[in-house]
Amino acid sequence: NAGVTQTPKFRILKIGQSMTLQCTQDMNHNYMYWYRQDPGMGLKLIYYSVGAGITDKGEVPNGYNVSRSTTEDFPLRLELAAPSQTSVYFCASSAGEAQYFGPGTRLLVL
Amino acid sequence: GENVEQHPSTLSVQEGDSAVIKCTYSDSASNYFPWYKQELGKGPQLIIDIRSNVGEKKDQRIAVTLNKTAKHFSLHITETQPEDSAVYFCAATPYSGGGADGLTFGKGTHLIIQP
């Protein structure tokens, strides 16, 4: 099992550009999550999904959108990138309480 | 919502000594408390977790204790080794079984093992 994979590993965006961060898991987990991690801080929940077709907002959803068309994939969309979205983004999945994280995508918005 | 405080922010110990990291939480409904290890440039790795119906859990050199009354839990690492150097995060959530329970994280502890 590859676990949770994320692409790209690193990206530089200009203000106002859009992009999609990809997340795939091969563990057949129903639950998936997106977090962001700012320097010196813990992770904060952006969006989560309890199954295909079902998504909901977390603590910091503004400026992001998600979709969940399959069990395996949970992409995160940034429509109008802003400097405040410079961060490291982690995707996670779980079958129960324990959440397993991907390697992250480092995003720089200039 | 839940608030998790973690301390210290940095901890330096001699190789072979023990390390203790402490966290407090605010929401009495929280019932699941994982600990993650994050190495530079990598994602958080789950190293141990505890549920509110258990007071202590041990896995080789690491152990976690939970005091529900005081709303605090701690990570204990014994016989520290250089590979234990990393940032450690505690987290809490009121897990209800439906998967809609994101984790609330502490700000992390940078553990440095001195040779």
Side-chain angles (χ1 to χ4, degrees):
Chain A
N1 281 354
V4 180
T5 57
Q6 293 182 239
T7 57
K9 290 183 180 178
F10 176 66
R11 181 80 182 266
I12 299 174
L13 277 184
K14 293 183 179 179
I15 294 171
Q17 286 186 321
S18 62
M19 78 165 291
T20 299
L21 284 67
Q22 302 292 346
C23 175
T24 300
Q25 54 94 7
D26 63 359
M27 297 175 283
N28 201 33
H29 287 168
N30 282 331
Y31 312 137
M32 295 187 75
Y33 310 84
W34 274 105
Y35 293 85
R36 60 177 286 172
Q37 183 179 35
D38 297 323
M41 303 291 288
L43 286 72
K44 292 188 182 295
L45 183 67
I46 306 172
Y47 268 96
Y48 64 91
S49 169
V50 299
I54 306 170
T55 63
D56 210 342
K57 297 178 181 178
E59 183 183 357
V60 290
N62 291 345
Y64 307 95
N65 276 300
V66 293
S67 59
R68 184 98 181 268
S69 57
T70 67
T71 299
E72 295 78 19
D73 301 306
F74 190 38
L76 177 71
R77 178 85 177 162
L78 282 71
E79 291 294 348
L80 291 170
S84 61
Q85 293 177 306
T86 292
S87 191
V88 182
Y89 293 85
F90 290 101
C91 178
S93 73
S94 72
E97 306 110 318
Q99 295 185 21
Y100 299 94
F101 286 80
T105 293
R106 186 175 297 272
L107 178 65
L108 180 60
V109 182
L110 300 174
Chain B
E2 175 66 275
N3 182 52
V4 177
E5 300 285 340
Q6 180 173 350
H7 59 94
S9 57
T10 303
L11 178 61
S12 180
V13 301
Q14 290 293 126
E15 182 179 349
D17 288 349
S18 296
V20 180
I21 302 170
K22 299 182 179 182
C23 289
T24 60
Y25 62 98
S26 62
D27 188 353
S28 56
S30 285
N31 56 13
Y32 175 67
F33 308 91
W35 285 89
Y36 287 86
K37 176 183 181 182
Q38 187 176 29
E39 296 174 328
L40 195 61
K42 296 186 177 181
Q45 176 191 4
L46 179 66
I47 56 171
I48 196 167
D49 56 12
I50 192 167
R51 292 159 184 81
S52 60
N53 59 348
V54 175
E56 183 174 357
K57 183 177 178 181
K58 191 173 182 180
D59 183 3
Q60 299 184 337
R61 295 187 298 108
I62 60 173
V64 57
T65 58
L66 171 66
N67 183 326
K68 285 192 296 182
T69 304
K71 294 202 193 92
H72 67 71
F73 56 113
S74 300
L75 177 72
H76 305 252
I77 305 174
T78 59
E79 301 172 12
T80 53
Q81 301 170 3
E83 55 264 36
D84 295 330
S85 292
V87 179
Y88 291 80
F89 291 95
C90 63
T93 188
Y95 182 72
S96 60
D101 306 299
L103 296 168
T104 299
F105 283 83
K107 292 185 177 180
T109 296
H110 186 192
L111 177 62
I112 301 166
I113 308 300
Q114 303 279 7

